[in-house]
């Protein structure tokens, strides 16, 4: 990936370019930035730049042998470690999933760890970077570099390194010559402090809304207004912007309408059935659905406050929203948003989804019981 393909973040790009050009290259750097900030994209562009054999002032050349391999995430001296799930013998090492990794990152270098785990069909399994992977890292880094270039290890989401990560301390502290560690993390508190203390911290801010807006307009068929709204709503998180784009997802819409209908009519058997059905799906589908509900209710909230607001909703959603607003006031909507935020947190922490969705159903039912119908 070239710097030119990384959204925004000009100050960080300049900083990395300047350091590379002046030879101030830290052997262990932590790219710390929230989801969707582009921390992985920046690390990829930086690794490609460092190994490019025809460096330009503002970017890698994009054409040399090294660039051609880097761009496909197939450079023999650029290694990757990331969370995996273990099934039988598969998944103890990151390379077991290298084909999927390349596909997922090339598709969306702004993905979060849940997107990734869903991509490898982890369902409810927890991802982690295993002890075997740590041994593999040490082994790989002791090999000589293939191209005589930097040997770079990108560890994505070191939050998923348990105490076995301590196996890496020595090699991070005293790496073989020409070896660089680029750690790409979202939450410093969740990374082993022994590792953090051995890295140089590079804080990556959330993206600026105008950068996101520009990218969305270039990439998708969108009106200026929609692009601006998504950019304003996604908190500088490009992955969230992509999710908002997907929130026009018909499945989620139908699911929410059916569920709302059952809850608001206090149709217990029907919402219990919904609870069973959604509990049978994976955590990612549940999170995606909750994300959609949050988006929908937040838009309802805005609509209730701002009479001239043009919501980021499709026509049929606006109808549903208007009907909902006839019965629910600002406070009950706000309460709903909070309930869904909490549910999102619980699902992320692997709580029992049956209980989470049943509680939400009861809550929805209590708030709007029997007042309106969605048919
Ligand atoms: Zn090049």
């Amino acid at each position: 990936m070239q710097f030119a393909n990384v959204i925004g973040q000009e100050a960080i790009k300049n900083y990395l370019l300047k350091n590379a050009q002046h030879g101030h290259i830290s052997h262990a750097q932590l790219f710390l930035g929230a989801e969707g900030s582009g921390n992985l994209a920046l690390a990829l562009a930086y690794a490609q730049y460092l190994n490019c054999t025809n460096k330009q002032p503002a970017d890698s050349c994009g054409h040399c042998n090294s660039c051609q391999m880097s761009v496909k995430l197939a450079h023999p001296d650029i290694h990757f470690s990331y969370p995996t799930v273990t099934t039988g013998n598969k998944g103890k090492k990151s390379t077991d999933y290298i084909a999927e990794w390349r596909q997922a990152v090339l598709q969306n270098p702004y993905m979060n760890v849940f997107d990734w785990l869903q991509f490898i069909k982890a369902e409810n399994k927890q991802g982690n970077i295993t002890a075997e992977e740590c041994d593999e890292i040490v082994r790989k880094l002791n090999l000589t570099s293939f191209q005589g270039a930097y040997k770079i290890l990108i560890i994505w989401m070191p939050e998923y390194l348990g105490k076995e990560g301590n196996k890496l301390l020595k090699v991070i502290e005293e790496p073989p010559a020409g070896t660089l560690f680029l750690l790409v993390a979202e939450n410093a508190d969740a990374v082993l402090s022994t590792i953090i203390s051995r890295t140089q911290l590079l804080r990556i801010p959330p993206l600026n809304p105008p950068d996101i807006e520009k990218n969305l307009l270039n990439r998708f068929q969108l009106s200026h207004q929609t692009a601006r709204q998504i950019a304003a709503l996604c908190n500088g998180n490009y992955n969230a912007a992509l999710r908002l784009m997907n929130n026009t997802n018909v499945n989620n819409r139908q699911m929410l309408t059916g569920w709302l209908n059952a809850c608001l009519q206090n149709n217990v058997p029907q919402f219990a059935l919904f609870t069973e059905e959604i509990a049978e799906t994976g955590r990612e589908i549940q999170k995606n659905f909750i994300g959609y509900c949050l988006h929908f209710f937040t838009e309802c909230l805005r609509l209730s406050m701002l009479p001239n607001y043009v919501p980021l909703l499709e026509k049929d959603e606006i109808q549903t929203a208007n009907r909902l607003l006839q019965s629910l006031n600002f406070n009950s909507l706000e309460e709903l948003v909070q309930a869904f935020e909490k549910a999102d947190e619980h699902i992320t922490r692997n709580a029992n989804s049956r209980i989470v969705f049943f509680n939400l159903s009861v809550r929805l039912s209590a708030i709007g019981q029997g007042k309106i119908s969605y048919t």
Side-chain angles (χ1 to χ4, degrees):
M1 180 160 198
Q2 287 185 281
F3 281 117
N5 296 321
V6 180
I7 303 166
Q9 303 293 16
E10 297 312 321
I12 304 279
K13 289 178 190 171
N14 287 336
Y15 170 82
L16 290 169
L17 284 163
K18 218 172 74 194
N19 279 356
Q21 286 154 8
H22 292 89
H24 299 150
I25 297 161
S26 163
H27 70 265
Q29 197 147 8
L30 177 63
F31 287 63
L32 182 66
E35 177 193 345
S37 60
N39 50 5
L40 176 61
L42 285 160
L44 291 171
Y46 184 52
Q48 176 164 338
Y49 187 79
L50 289 172
N51 278 348
C52 171
T53 53
N54 184 21
K55 292 182 183 58
Q56 309 293 307
D59 216 331
S60 49
C61 76
H63 301 294
C64 69
N65 251 339
S66 173
C67 278
Q68 285 183 31
M69 292 186 287
S70 299
V71 105
K72 291 187 249 169
L73 311 179
H75 194 295
D77 292 320
I78 302 178
H79 305 279
F80 299 96
S81 286
Y82 36 80
T84 56
V85 287
T86 313
T87 326
N89 246 344
K90 178 163 171 141
K92 289 190 171 159
K93 294 178 191 164
S94 293
T95 42
D96 294 339
Y97 284 101
I98 188 68
E100 291 90 339
W101 169 255
R102 287 183 184 134
Q103 207 185 337
V105 175
L106 293 176
Q107 209 170 298
N108 179 17
Y110 292 80
M111 70 177 175
N112 65 24
V113 75
F114 295 108
D115 301 330
W116 162 242
L117 291 175
Q118 193 191 12
F119 194 86
I120 59 170
K121 304 191 170 47
E123 288 302 332
N124 287 329
K125 285 192 192 142
Q126 279 289 13
N128 75 81
I129 301 179
T130 62
E132 285 86 350
E133 175 62 14
C134 294
D135 293 336
E136 178 72 0
I137 290 174
V138 175
R139 189 190 68 80
K140 269 183 198 163
L141 296 184
N142 281 311
L143 299 172
T144 24
S145 94
F146 282 88
Q147 309 277 324
Y150 282 108
K151 224 173 340 162
I152 300 175
L153 178 76
I154 297 182
I155 305 183
W156 183 62
M157 299 304 290
E159 289 93 330
Y160 286 76
L161 262 174
K163 58 181 183 332
E164 58 275 12
N166 285 320
K167 288 182 168 200
L168 300 177
L169 298 183
K170 194 166 166 285
V171 73
I172 294 182
E173 200 157 68
E174 291 166 29
T179 301
L180 308 177
F181 281 88
L182 308 182
L183 286 83
V184 179
E186 289 177 6
N187 176 8
D189 292 340
V191 183
L192 289 173
S193 55
T194 43
I195 289 194
I196 298 255
S197 64
R198 286 166 172 81
T199 59
Q200 191 193 73
L201 175 63
L202 177 61
R203 268 184 209 283
I204 296 158
L207 287 170
N208 290 325
D211 290 329
I212 294 184
E213 183 186 334
K214 202 168 114 196
N215 177 279
L216 292 176
L217 282 173
N218 284 337
R219 193 171 161 194
F220 303 100
Q221 293 267 339
L222 280 181
S223 70
H224 280 268
Q225 188 186 16
T226 307
R228 190 165 314 135
Q229 270 180 313
I230 292 179
L233 290 173
C234 69
N235 296 320
N237 173 347
Y238 185 67
N239 201 35
L242 295 178
R243 277 200 296 272
L244 282 169
M245 296 269 313
N246 286 333
N247 275 342
T248 44
N249 180 315
V250 178
N251 265 349
N252 280 339
R253 248 144 72 189
Q254 285 170 347
M255 252 162 48
L256 178 61
T257 314
W259 184 35
L260 267 180
N261 202 9
C263 294
L264 299 176
Q265 292 175 355
N266 200 25
N267 184 338
V268 180
Q270 209 175 323
F271 74 59
L273 182 70
F274 169 85
T275 304
E276 283 306 308
E277 280 172 2
I278 195 147
E280 291 296 315
T281 66
R283 186 170 56 166
E284 281 321 302
I285 294 172
Q286 295 160 5
K287 273 187 71 74
N288 184 284
F289 176 65
I290 290 180
Y292 168 73
C293 295
L294 267 172
H295 159 71
F296 176 78
F297 290 124
T298 314
E299 286 300 278
C300 289
L301 254 184
R302 294 196 171 95
L303 256 178
S304 77
M305 286 160 62
L306 313 161
N308 294 325
Y309 180 67
V310 182
L312 190 57
L313 296 170
E314 298 290 315
K315 231 188 221 153
D316 59 330
E317 292 174 300
I318 296 176
Q319 282 171 2
T320 309
N322 281 331
R323 270 181 283 164
L324 197 63
L325 288 173
Q326 285 169 16
S327 313
L328 300 187
N329 59 22
F330 179 86
N331 289 340
S332 25
L333 277 169
E334 203 178 26
E335 201 196 315
L336 270 182
V337 169
Q338 283 164 3
F340 276 89
E341 277 170 352
K342 215 166 241 150
D344 186 51
E345 222 179 281
H346 289 153
I347 296 286
T348 305
R349 291 190 187 153
N350 239 349
N352 183 323
S353 56
R354 226 171 235 102
I355 297 176
V356 172
F357 280 99
F358 195 78
N359 283 347
L360 277 178
S361 305
V362 172
R363 197 84 170 258
L364 274 168
S365 186
I367 291 174
Q369 207 182 97
K371 284 180 183 166
I372 43 169
S373 142
Y374 294 87
T375 41

